Amino acid sequence: MPEASVRELTDIPLERLGDEMLELMRTLYPICRSLTGNGVRETLRIVGEVIPLSVTEVPTGTPIFDWTVPREWNVSDAWIADANGARVVDFQESNLHVVGYSTPVRARMTGSELEERLHSLPEHPDWIPARTAYWANTWGFCVNESQRRAIRPDETYDVCIDSRLEDGHLTYAESLLAGETNDEVLLSTYVCHPSLCNDNLSGIAVLAFLGRRLLELGNLRYTYRLLFSPGTVGPLTWLSLNLDRLDRVKHGLVLSCLGDPGPVRYKRSRRGAAEVDRAAEHVLRSSRADALIEDFVPWGGDERQFCSPGFDLPVGALTRTPHGLFPEYHTSADDFHLVRAESLADSLAATLEIVAVLERNDAYVNRAPYGEPQLGRRGLYHEISAGAPRAEDSFQRALLWALNLSDGSHSLLDIANRAKIAFHTVADAAEALFDAELLERVDQ
Amino acid sequence: MPEASVRELTDIPLERLGDEMLELMRTLYPICRSLTGNGVRETLRIVGEVIPLSVTEVPTGTPIFDWTVPREWNVSDAWIADANGARVVDFQESNLHVVGYSTPVRARMTGSELEERLHSLPEHPDWIPARTAYWANTWGFCVNESQRRAIRPDETYDVCIDSRLEDGHLTYAESLLAGETNDEVLLSTYVCHPSLCNDNLSGIAVLAFLGRRLLELGNLRYTYRLLFSPGTVGPLTWLSLNLDRLDRVKHGLVLSCLGDPGPVRYKRSRRGAAEVDRAAEHVLRSSRADALIEDFVPWGGDERQFCSPGFDLPVGALTRTPHGLFPEYHTSADDFHLVRAESLADSLAATLEIVAVLERNDAYVNRAPYGEPQLGRRGLYHEISAGAPRAEDSFQRALLWALNLSDGSHSLLDIANRAKIAFHTVADAAEALFDAELLERVDQ
Amino acid sequence: MPEASVRELTDIPLERLGDEMLELMRTLYPICRSLTGNGVRETLRIVGEVIPLSVTEVPTGTPIFDWTVPREWNVSDAWIADANGARVVDFQESNLHVVGYSTPVRARMTGSELEERLHSLPEHPDWIPARTAYWANTWGFCVNESQRRAIRPDETYDVCIDSRLEDGHLTYAESLLAGETNDEVLLSTYVCHPSLCNDNLSGIAVLAFLGRRLLELGNLRYTYRLLFSPGTVGPLTWLSLNLDRLDRVKHGLVLSCLGDPGPVRYKRSRRGAAEVDRAAEHVLRSSRADALIEDFVPWGGDERQFCSPGFDLPVGALTRTPHGLFPEYHTSADDFHLVRAESLADSLAATLEIVAVLERNDAYVNRAPYGEPQLGRRGLYHEISAGAPRAEDSFQRALLWALNLSDGSHSLLDIANRAKIAFHTVADAAEALFDAELLERVDQ
């Protein structure tokens, strides 16, 4: 059993890793990603330099449960130019300017005609919104308010969206880190958003560096599967191609929006009290006073797919401020002003802490269950006794709890929660008792 | 499935119906009712003009579980007259003056001798109490304090109670409104109280007009059984005559004390979490901030009988201010000053809202349970997405909850409670998903 | 059924018994007790004058689960004398001066050499600590701070511990009070502490007088087993010798620290909601506003052994201020200044009240479960009814609750808790209904 390496899991250089994650995000930021296309491929290629990835390409038209893999979308340029040929809106300045999955356009039209194709944010006049029309067969531009006002109703404009929407592939990538068992921990994030930092270059960066850390250590109990895929259809595609292996997924986390300065937030799986839910809650409550624990709701991120009633997988979601709850969400203001190296590092640390609990969460049976065994002769209790209660010493209390509750029906996490002692203190106590041959491990 | 008419159930002219219920109460007020006798018969005849009733007469002496149908009691006159023949207490002025089930009396006695036969309320000197001695073989008069004081110990009085207590019948009435299934909703009120308004002409009026509304609409899922009977022995008699059909009773409500201005109050069935309990709690909590929800206790109204351990039927009790909790209870002050048309109308509306939940509370199974189905192509989601959480739109949330929890084990009411969304929004969402062939109904 | 004597159980002369318990403690105080030895034998002989005891002697070396019966320890004298032969520490003044189970010593050494053998309490300079080294093969002295300072590093001292540590016996005693059934209530306390009052001469005194009270009354349902034994190994030894009879133990209490003026405190068994837990909680919450109810933790007194996972017996612990939570704990200050006759008497009363609930906690079945039976003709309800709710009269409410919940699955304690009525009112109501042939007892 690899306790040693588990303890190292969370022993990481936070400051350096925060900076490295931010650097990865800066590299990925300019790329124009969408549900499909070369932006996703380029993103996965770069992430693959942090952690080895295996890429899957699924052809357009492949049926995916209630869905179908869409046509592949690529865009090389787009603009709105005035009568003088001056570009008043230019994709080269920000890939948010084009509504995602816009059909190709080459047209001349008046400002009035253009009006219904423009999306802006009157309440945030300087920001460009991010919009998509994946399944709609339409096109449009996203602009800030001054760009919108600059387009005069009576003037004529040249409009170009140099996009291709054609049969191709949906692209996703996995990294499979084999452990002692085939039981899997599924860690998933989405790679379909264009130049948006917190949502979700932060999730990509945290997942990539999490994988790198797990790979460095090796020797873990679980097999870890990291999934980088476009939102919604990505997980659905992966699920449809792995139906016969889903019973291997013992725990899972969807990671996203992990770079902003808000507190860490855990959203429970649909099951509500799955082991990952209880591990995450234990870790966050015992280490981060401001952490938020929330019940499952059927909207949000890709946990919606894993937690749909047909799958009902034990997959929770870890974020800082999530989808829709920060004002910069899905706008050009979700940039590097919003994210921080410390937040990224803390998110990575929290995820590793949850993983560490899952790795060590064994159940034991007390081999000397009739009365309290004689701890003194095993060096686990003072020779000269003041009779004092041992309640001040959490390791001593953890020893007694581990002995008392190790009846095969309580995991260490159950014991830690009942005892109100940090998980790793209880796990260390159980290890000492195991070494003293007072506990034996139960196959779970 | 009759959703259309269910929606109409609660679409009623409140003001007009409040007035009509009050008018019915005015017609019924002067009648001298008791556990048995012609007052009950006359009351049921008048109620039968609102809703067709079928009357059952059960002979004196019929065994009813631990009880026996008592002798029938009728009273035509009663008085206490002074030496001059002047009536100082007169049944013709108020039928409350005679203790219910008083044996016939024709006697001359002194004021002192009369003393122990008089009941009054020192704390409310102007009120006449209402008293009964159904099982006691005694007699007495109820008077206000000035009447009591007017009877001088040394003077002689003529006392008459012109009552008959003889073999006859116990009378009750039912209205059976057939629905799609034989599953029944039992709605019960008591008709044994003399000239008392809130307790319980209000219950009689609300139940009669509730029946009329159900009859108007027809086409409901459940069969509705309305029971108008004398308290305690009435329901017991009905139960004893319907033992082999009690398994049809899926839900029930005892209605009483529904005209005072206090908040609506629901008392749970003995089971505590029967469907009717959960429906009533959902309706009242989501529509009436001041509504009270209380646990079952084995005293109160006729729910005591339905919820005795041998039956344990899922029957709750809906009141405004109930038995014993308003000072005018069982006194002459429980008159038309106490009750209001608006309260009666609101009570009727609340009952219909509970019925409407019961009618629509189906369970469904998601036919596309693997991931979230593509709502956009079914017109159930925006074409151009801001990616924004759909949490502000309760219909959108209801769609997602209905899909996520429709696994056969959650009813719409379960879903509404979990989602914290009004039941009918969830039911409308389920209907839209049913129409889109995304849900199918489960036979319950 | 012995209701009459159960009612007498708690009808005791508190003041006289408090004084008698204190007197017993004064007799026992000077005796030098330890895990084994003549001090325990003498203690049990004296307790045997209050209640007949049967003594068991178990030889040194007998295996006891993970333990072994230790060698027997007796000490006749011990001192530290200075160069002039003056005793600066003298066992004759307080038996706390010798570390329990000290090996025999006869030596001359310097004050510096003595230093590591001395135990004192800098934070309480006037107190002598109590220390033991049962399993350590060492020796030492406990002293107050002025004694410690009086020992000069450079001077030479004669040190003597005239102890014998040799094969012998572990001694414990039982009193078995036979009841109607073989089902047992196990009441246990420890007798291994030297001159310490609250911990635990108080527990010995309360248990002895509890036994005397049970014996006086006789005619109880349960068989009561009182166990006076040295802590930890005493209960373990008893358990090991009674393995095949442990299924008789239906309820149990460990009694200790019952003389201080703090509030009564009940610590739940490992099961958490055993009948004794619920009985103790009901009694304490309904009679003592300041009583404390605490969850099981695997440290404290002998409940640790009874509640180890191999036994998991329904044994709670009743104390006032327990082990380690009063500053005088395990010091010479745990003397007669700390304990009070009133506290001892109240502790005895609380224990008897818990026993009385266990004795009467029957379950019944309603023989007239169809509706509410006619209480009036059985003299259990008013003849002339004001219709008023009977909620003010707790006996009336108890009658209705007992009828409603007596379906075989609710004990009287369940009913009392649900009804929020004192247990004995519910039990009296059930008895009245039993006499009226409305309830029959269920064999549990």
Side-chain angles (χ1 to χ4, degrees):
Chain A
M1 283 286 137
E3 280 84 9
S5 62
V6 170
R7 282 206 204 98
E8 289 168 46
L9 257 182
T10 54
D11 182 19
I12 53 171
L14 287 173
E15 201 171 335
R16 178 167 62 75
L17 287 171
D19 291 340
E20 286 183 39
M21 288 188 276
L22 212 48
E23 197 180 310
L24 175 62
M25 288 169 63
R26 288 194 196 280
T27 309
L28 297 173
Y29 185 74
I31 300 169
C32 179
R33 281 165 294 272
S34 186
L35 216 51
T36 58
N38 293 324
V40 171
R41 287 190 190 91
E42 176 65 3
T43 297
L44 296 176
R45 189 191 63 72
I46 294 167
V47 171
E49 293 169 1
V50 180
I51 171 130
L53 292 180
S54 131
V55 174
T56 300
E57 299 270 359
V58 184
T60 296
T62 305
I64 304 295
F65 306 118
D66 193 57
W67 306 66
T68 305
V69 172
R71 284 180 294 171
E72 183 173 328
W73 185 68
N74 286 288
V75 57
S76 41
D77 204 357
W79 72 81
I80 301 172
D82 64 18
N84 304 323
R87 292 188 173 192
V88 295
V89 178
D90 187 354
F91 172 75
Q92 303 304 334
E93 283 174 6
S94 167
N95 56 41
L96 301 185
H97 278 314
V98 179
V99 169
Y101 262 67
S102 281
T103 49
V105 179
R106 188 92 208 200
R108 177 163 295 177
M109 53 179 70
T110 63
S112 319
E113 287 166 325
L114 248 177
E115 177 65 18
E116 62 164 342
R117 300 293 184 166
L118 301 180
H119 304 274
S120 64
L121 294 168
E123 67 278 26
H124 294 294
D126 297 336
W127 300 356
I128 308 164
R131 293 285 180 271
T132 61
Y134 295 142
W135 312 95
N137 212 35
T138 183
W139 61 270
F141 283 87
C142 298
V143 296
N144 62 34
E145 284 293 303
S146 65
Q147 288 172 315
R148 178 183 271 260
R149 277 193 307 269
I151 293 174
R152 307 279 171 76
D154 302 331
E155 284 190 28
T156 300
Y157 294 88
D158 275 321
V159 176
C160 168
I161 296 181
D162 185 6
S163 67
R164 279 163 299 129
L165 196 52
E166 52 202 10
D167 283 358
H169 294 83
L170 177 147
T171 311
Y172 70 80
E174 290 167 273
S175 186
L176 191 75
L177 313 178
E180 287 184 0
T181 70
N182 287 327
D183 290 344
E184 289 187 13
V185 178
L186 175 65
L187 301 164
S188 176
T189 199
Y190 48 92
V191 297
C192 51
H193 284 187
S195 297
L196 299 170
C197 272
N198 197 37
D199 178 29
N200 182 36
L201 294 178
S202 70
I204 297 171
V206 169
L207 184 55
F209 280 79
L210 179 70
R212 198 173 74 177
R213 181 73 190 152
L214 296 174
L215 198 59
E216 274 168 18
L217 286 176
N219 198 25
L220 295 171
R221 170 200 298 198
Y222 287 108
T223 291
Y224 288 81
R225 184 180 296 273
L226 281 56
L227 178 61
F228 298 84
S229 76
T232 303
V233 284
L236 286 172
T237 303
W238 180 84
L239 284 161
S240 77
L241 296 179
N242 290 276
L243 277 178
D244 56 346
R245 275 172 295 179
L246 293 182
D247 58 351
R248 294 187 183 181
V249 178
K250 302 304 178 196
H251 320 287
L253 284 173
V254 170
L255 301 176
S256 67
C257 300
L258 288 164
D260 69 274
V264 175
R265 186 184 296 236
Y266 179 75
K267 172 182 166 179
R268 294 188 177 99
S269 75
R270 182 178 187 267
R271 298 185 188 182
E275 192 174 340
V276 67
D277 298 322
R278 298 169 58 252
E281 182 159 352
H282 182 93
V283 163
L284 299 189
R285 289 215 196 281
S286 57
S287 65
R288 286 157 175 85
D290 60 350
L292 299 166
I293 310 287
E294 297 181 338
D295 275 333
F296 178 75
V297 293
W299 55 89
D302 287 332
E303 67 279 5
R304 282 183 354 248
Q305 312 309 326
F306 300 115
C307 296
S308 59
F311 300 122
D312 197 22
L313 292 174
V315 176
L318 193 76
T319 62
R320 300 192 85 87
T321 310
H323 319 258
L325 294 191
F326 52 99
E328 302 87 350
Y329 172 76
H330 276 206
T331 75
S332 56
D334 181 0
D335 61 14
F336 288 94
H337 292 93
L338 184 61
V339 294
R340 298 185 188 181
E342 310 89 82
S343 296
L344 292 163
D346 179 65
S347 300
L348 175 59
T351 314
L352 285 165
E353 290 166 36
I354 295 168
V355 164
V357 170
L358 296 173
E359 282 286 322
R360 291 188 89 181
N361 189 24
D362 280 301
Y364 292 84
V365 167
N366 184 340
R367 298 176 68 182
Y370 299 104
E372 191 177 294
Q374 202 178 351
L375 296 176
R377 67 172 155 92
R378 295 172 174 95
L380 295 170
Y381 189 57
H382 328 291
E383 287 217 324
I384 300 207
S385 169
R390 292 158 278 190
E392 307 84 56
D393 178 339
S394 70
F395 183 76
Q396 283 290 330
R397 282 184 289 134
L399 285 174
L400 297 173
W401 276 114
L403 286 167
N404 192 273
L405 292 181
S406 285
D407 51 13
S409 71
H410 296 91
S411 73
L412 295 182
L413 184 55
D414 295 331
I415 297 173
N417 282 333
R418 168 81 182 268
K420 299 186 185 79
I421 299 176
F423 175 85
H424 290 290
T425 304
V426 172
D428 289 348
E431 211 174 305
L433 292 167
F434 178 82
D435 292 344
E437 298 186 0
L438 284 169
L439 294 186
E440 60 186 315
R441 258 191 210 90
V442 177
D443 281 335
Q444 288 180 294
Chain B
M1 283 290 136
E3 280 84 7
S5 61
V6 170
R7 282 207 204 94
E8 289 168 47
L9 258 181
T10 55
D11 181 20
I12 53 172
L14 287 173
E15 200 170 339
R16 177 166 63 73
L17 287 171
D19 291 340
E20 285 182 40
M21 288 188 274
L22 213 47
E23 197 180 310
L24 174 63
M25 287 169 65
R26 288 193 197 280
T27 309
L28 297 173
Y29 185 74
I31 300 170
C32 179
R33 280 166 295 273
S34 185
L35 216 51
T36 58
N38 294 323
V40 170
R41 287 190 190 91
E42 174 66 2
T43 296
L44 296 176
R45 189 191 62 72
I46 294 167
V47 171
E49 292 169 3
V50 180
I51 170 134
L53 292 180
S54 131
V55 174
T56 300
E57 299 270 1
V58 183
T60 296
T62 305
I64 305 294
F65 307 117
D66 192 58
W67 307 66
T68 306
V69 172
R71 285 181 292 170
E72 184 174 326
W73 185 69
N74 286 287
V75 58
S76 41
D77 204 357
W79 73 82
I80 300 173
D82 65 16
N84 304 323
R87 293 186 172 195
V88 294
V89 178
D90 187 353
F91 173 75
Q92 303 303 334
E93 283 174 5
S94 166
N95 55 42
L96 301 185
H97 278 315
V98 179
V99 169
Y101 261 66
S102 281
T103 49
V105 179
R106 187 91 209 201
R108 175 162 299 177
M109 53 179 71
T110 63
S112 319
E113 287 167 326
L114 247 177
E115 177 65 15
E116 63 165 343
R117 299 293 183 165
L118 300 181
H119 304 274
S120 64
L121 295 168
E123 67 279 25
H124 294 293
D126 296 336
W127 299 356
I128 308 164
R131 292 285 179 273
T132 61
Y134 294 142
W135 312 94
N137 212 35
T138 184
W139 61 269
F141 283 88
C142 299
V143 296
N144 63 33
E145 283 292 303
S146 65
Q147 288 173 316
R148 179 183 269 260
R149 277 192 307 270
I151 294 175
R152 308 278 170 79
D154 301 332
E155 284 190 27
T156 299
Y157 295 88
D158 275 319
V159 176
C160 167
I161 297 180
D162 184 4
S163 66
R164 277 164 299 127
L165 194 52
E166 52 201 12
D167 284 357
H169 294 83
L170 177 149
T171 311
Y172 70 79
E174 290 168 275
S175 187
L176 191 75
L177 313 179
E180 286 184 1
T181 71
N182 287 327
D183 290 344
E184 287 187 13
V185 179
L186 175 64
L187 301 164
S188 176
T189 199
Y190 48 92
V191 297
C192 52
H193 284 187
S195 297
L196 299 170
C197 271
N198 197 38
D199 177 29
N200 182 36
L201 294 178
S202 69
I204 297 171
V206 170
L207 184 55
F209 280 80
L210 179 70
R212 199 174 74 177
R213 181 71 191 155
L214 297 174
L215 198 60
E216 276 168 18
L217 287 176
N219 198 26
L220 295 171
R221 170 201 298 200
Y222 287 107
T223 291
Y224 288 80
R225 184 181 295 272
L226 280 56
L227 179 60
F228 298 83
S229 76
T232 305
V233 284
L236 285 173
T237 303
W238 181 84
L239 284 161
S240 77
L241 297 179
N242 289 276
L243 278 178
D244 56 345
R245 275 172 294 178
L246 293 183
D247 58 350
R248 296 187 182 182
V249 178
K250 302 304 179 197
H251 320 286
L253 285 173
V254 169
L255 301 175
S256 66
C257 300
L258 288 164
D260 69 273
V264 174
R265 186 183 297 236
Y266 179 75
K267 173 181 166 180
R268 294 188 177 100
S269 76
R270 183 178 185 268
R271 298 185 187 183
E275 191 174 340
V276 67
D277 298 321
R278 299 169 58 250
E281 182 159 352
H282 182 93
V283 162
L284 299 190
R285 289 215 195 283
S286 57
S287 65
R288 287 157 175 85
D290 60 350
L292 299 167
I293 310 288
E294 297 181 339
D295 274 333
F296 178 75
V297 292
W299 55 88
D302 287 331
E303 67 279 5
R304 280 181 359 245
Q305 311 310 326
F306 299 117
C307 295
S308 59
F311 301 122
D312 198 23
L313 292 174
V315 175
L318 193 76
T319 61
R320 301 192 84 87
T321 310
H323 319 260
L325 295 192
F326 52 100
E328 302 87 350
Y329 171 75
H330 276 206
T331 75
S332 57
D334 181 359
D335 61 14
F336 287 95
H337 292 93
L338 184 61
V339 295
R340 298 184 188 182
E342 311 89 82
S343 297
L344 292 163
D346 179 64
S347 300
L348 175 59
T351 314
L352 284 165
E353 289 165 38
I354 296 168
V355 163
V357 170
L358 295 173
E359 282 286 322
R360 290 189 90 181
N361 189 24
D362 280 300
Y364 291 84
V365 167
N366 183 340
R367 299 177 68 181
Y370 300 104
E372 191 176 293
Q374 202 179 349
L375 297 176
R377 67 172 156 90
R378 295 173 174 96
L380 295 170
Y381 190 57
H382 328 290
E383 286 217 324
I384 299 206
S385 167
R390 292 159 276 189
E392 308 84 58
D393 178 339
S394 69
F395 183 77
Q396 284 289 330
R397 283 184 289 135
L399 285 174
L400 296 173
W401 276 114
L403 285 167
N404 193 274
L405 292 181
S406 285
D407 51 13
S409 70
H410 296 92
S411 72
L412 295 182
L413 183 55
D414 295 331
I415 298 173
N417 283 333
R418 168 82 183 268
K420 300 187 184 79
I421 300 176
F423 175 86
H424 290 292
T425 304
V426 173
D428 288 348
E431 211 175 305
L433 293 167
F434 178 84
D435 291 344
E437 298 186 0
L438 284 169
L439 293 185
E440 61 185 313
R441 256 190 211 93
V442 176
D443 281 335
Q444 287 180 298
Chain C
M1 285 288 137
E3 280 84 7
S5 61
V6 169
R7 282 206 203 95
E8 288 168 46
L9 258 182
T10 55
D11 182 20
I12 53 172
L14 287 173
E15 200 171 336
R16 178 167 63 75
L17 287 171
D19 291 340
E20 286 182 39
M21 288 188 274
L22 212 47
E23 197 180 310
L24 174 63
M25 288 169 64
R26 289 194 196 279
T27 309
L28 298 172
Y29 185 74
I31 301 169
C32 179
R33 280 165 294 272
S34 185
L35 216 51
T36 58
N38 293 324
V40 170
R41 288 190 190 92
E42 175 65 4
T43 298
L44 296 176
R45 189 192 63 72
I46 294 168
V47 171
E49 293 170 2
V50 180
I51 170 134
L53 293 180
S54 131
V55 173
T56 300
E57 299 271 359
V58 183
T60 295
T62 306
I64 304 294
F65 307 118
D66 192 57
W67 307 66
T68 306
V69 172
R71 283 181 294 169
E72 184 173 327
W73 185 70
N74 287 288
V75 58
S76 41
D77 204 358
W79 72 82
I80 300 172
D82 63 18
N84 304 321
R87 293 187 173 193
V88 295
V89 178
D90 188 353
F91 172 75
Q92 302 305 334
E93 284 174 5
S94 166
N95 55 42
L96 300 185
H97 278 315
V98 179
V99 169
Y101 261 66
S102 281
T103 49
V105 179
R106 187 92 208 200
R108 176 164 298 176
M109 54 179 69
T110 63
S112 320
E113 287 166 326
L114 248 177
E115 177 66 16
E116 62 165 344
R117 299 294 182 165
L118 301 181
H119 304 273
S120 64
L121 294 168
E123 67 278 27
H124 294 294
D126 297 336
W127 299 356
I128 308 165
R131 293 286 180 272
T132 62
Y134 294 142
W135 312 94
N137 213 35
T138 184
W139 61 270
F141 284 87
C142 298
V143 296
N144 63 34
E145 284 292 302
S146 65
Q147 288 174 316
R148 177 183 272 260
R149 278 193 307 269
I151 293 175
R152 308 278 170 77
D154 302 331
E155 284 189 29
T156 300
Y157 295 87
D158 275 320
V159 176
C160 168
I161 297 181
D162 184 5
S163 67
R164 276 164 299 128
L165 194 54
E166 51 201 12
D167 284 357
H169 294 83
L170 178 147
T171 312
Y172 69 79
E174 291 168 273
S175 187
L176 191 75
L177 313 179
E180 286 184 0
T181 71
N182 287 326
D183 290 345
E184 288 187 13
V185 179
L186 175 64
L187 301 164
S188 177
T189 199
Y190 49 93
V191 297
C192 52
H193 284 187
S195 297
L196 298 170
C197 273
N198 197 37
D199 178 30
N200 182 37
L201 294 177
S202 70
I204 297 170
V206 169
L207 184 55
F209 280 79
L210 179 69
R212 199 174 74 178
R213 181 71 190 154
L214 296 174
L215 198 61
E216 275 169 19
L217 287 175
N219 199 24
L220 295 171
R221 170 201 299 200
Y222 287 107
T223 291
Y224 288 80
R225 184 180 295 271
L226 281 55
L227 178 61
F228 298 84
S229 77
T232 303
V233 284
L236 286 172
T237 303
W238 181 84
L239 284 161
S240 77
L241 297 178
N242 290 276
L243 278 177
D244 56 345
R245 275 171 296 178
L246 293 183
D247 58 350
R248 294 187 182 181
V249 178
K250 302 304 178 197
H251 321 287
L253 285 173
V254 170
L255 301 175
S256 67
C257 300
L258 288 164
D260 69 273
V264 175
R265 186 184 296 236
Y266 179 75
K267 172 180 165 179
R268 294 188 177 99
S269 76
R270 183 178 186 266
R271 299 185 187 181
E275 192 173 340
V276 67
D277 298 321
R278 299 169 58 251
E281 182 159 352
H282 182 92
V283 162
L284 298 190
R285 289 214 195 285
S286 57
S287 65
R288 286 156 175 86
D290 60 351
L292 299 167
I293 310 288
E294 297 181 339
D295 275 333
F296 178 75
V297 293
W299 55 88
D302 287 331
E303 66 279 5
R304 282 182 356 247
Q305 312 310 328
F306 300 116
C307 296
S308 58
F311 300 122
D312 197 23
L313 292 174
V315 175
L318 193 76
T319 61
R320 301 192 84 87
T321 310
H323 319 257
L325 294 191
F326 52 100
E328 301 88 349
Y329 172 75
H330 276 206
T331 76
S332 57
D334 181 0
D335 61 13
F336 287 95
H337 291 95
L338 184 61
V339 295
R340 299 185 186 180
E342 311 88 82
S343 297
L344 292 163
D346 180 65
S347 301
L348 175 59
T351 314
L352 285 166
E353 289 166 35
I354 295 168
V355 164
V357 170
L358 295 173
E359 283 285 324
R360 291 189 90 180
N361 189 24
D362 280 301
Y364 292 83
V365 167
N366 184 339
R367 299 176 68 181
Y370 300 105
E372 190 177 293
Q374 202 179 349
L375 297 176
R377 66 171 155 91
R378 295 172 173 96
L380 296 169
Y381 189 56
H382 328 290
E383 287 216 324
I384 299 205
S385 169
R390 292 158 277 189
E392 307 85 56
D393 178 339
S394 69
F395 183 76
Q396 283 290 329
R397 282 184 288 134
L399 285 174
L400 296 172
W401 276 114
L403 285 167
N404 193 273
L405 292 181
S406 285
D407 51 13
S409 70
H410 297 90
S411 72
L412 295 183
L413 184 55
D414 295 330
I415 297 173
N417 282 333
R418 168 82 183 268
K420 300 187 184 79
I421 299 175
F423 175 84
H424 290 291
T425 304
V426 172
D428 288 349
E431 211 175 305
L433 292 166
F434 178 83
D435 291 344
E437 298 185 1
L438 284 169
L439 293 186
E440 62 185 312
R441 257 191 210 92
V442 176
D443 281 334
Q444 288 179 295

